Amino acid sequence: DIKAIATSVEVGWIAYQFPRSSGDLQTTYEWFIGLGFDDSKLFGTEESVLNPTVKYYYDVDLVEGGQFLEFGISHDFALAKFGCDKTPILKDLTITPSATLGVDHRYFTSSTQLANILYGLAFSYDLSGALGMPAKCGSLNLTGFINYSEALGLKDDVSGYQDEFFGGVKVGYSW
């Protein structure tokens, strides 16, 4: 976190494995950098409202130099802040709607174009709060999510790139 400019920075490395029709896996790697912005001063609120983010991805293997850019917004609705602070289970639940615009730069095609809009809804359960874990032990969360990806410019240019629903479950631990 860089508090002086209300910005958080995230840097990472991702390895993907894609199954192929032959039954073996194809692997590719990319690095990314993400910036998150605290817009609370802009809106005059105690907490961020839209949680704007920008993420840049660069493939270093399979797509060699393919790049992807994302612009996103989201907002956490912690049910404890909406009168459920004494209600078992609900007091530790946060619902987060989100939207992210994806821009492709030579990742799927040889040009730059809008790729997709990703609409998301996540339900995060604070297991550390529910289990009474002390703060010094960190934070443990269980999150279920559902997303809808609306293909934009790529829909006509990339075979198999289409609108789709997908979801999953994440378990996160931080300290």
Side-chain angles (χ1 to χ4, degrees):
D1 287 336
I2 306 171
K3 296 205 184 290
I5 57 172
T7 302
S8 61
V9 179
E10 177 183 23
V11 177
W13 177 264
I14 304 172
Y16 293 101
Q17 289 192 322
F18 300 102
R20 297 192 297 192
S21 58
S22 62
D24 59 348
L25 297 173
Q26 185 171 20
T27 305
T28 189
Y29 306 93
E30 66 186 21
W31 63 264
F32 71 92
I33 185 167
L35 301 174
F37 305 99
D38 179 356
D39 60 3
S40 60
K41 288 191 180 23
L42 178 68
F43 288 106
T45 58
E46 288 184 30
E47 296 179 6
S48 189
V49 177
L50 296 176
N51 299 295
T53 59
V54 175
K55 287 189 176 179
Y56 170 76
Y57 300 85
Y58 185 85
D59 190 278
V60 294
D61 191 27
L62 188 62
V63 189
E64 286 191 27
Q67 300 162 58
F68 205 79
L69 190 59
E70 293 180 339
F71 302 93
I73 57 172
S74 66
H75 186 80
D76 294 337
F77 293 94
L79 296 187
K81 293 181 180 179
F82 291 94
C84 296
D85 54 329
K86 304 270 191 258
T87 308
I89 299 175
L90 295 182
K91 68 180 177 59
D92 298 306
L93 185 65
T94 299
I95 301 171
T96 307
S98 62
T100 304
L101 174 66
V103 179
D104 167 52
H105 177 69
R106 296 190 318 221
Y107 204 97
F108 293 107
T109 66
S110 60
S111 63
T112 301
Q113 61 184 332
L114 294 178
N116 69 326
I117 298 177
L118 182 67
Y119 305 97
L121 188 59
F123 299 87
S124 182
Y125 190 69
D126 178 11
L127 290 170
S128 52
L131 297 172
M133 286 174 49
K136 67 180 180 181
C137 292
S139 176
L140 182 62
N141 287 291
L142 176 66
T143 303
F145 64 93
I146 181 99
N147 292 325
Y148 175 71
S149 178
E150 180 181 357
L152 299 175
L154 294 177
K155 194 173 193 174
D156 300 324
D157 296 338
V158 179
S159 175
Y161 198 85
Q162 58 192 358
D163 298 349
E164 64 181 344
F165 276 103
F166 65 94
V169 175
K170 299 186 281 187
V171 177
Y173 175 73
S174 60
W175 61 95

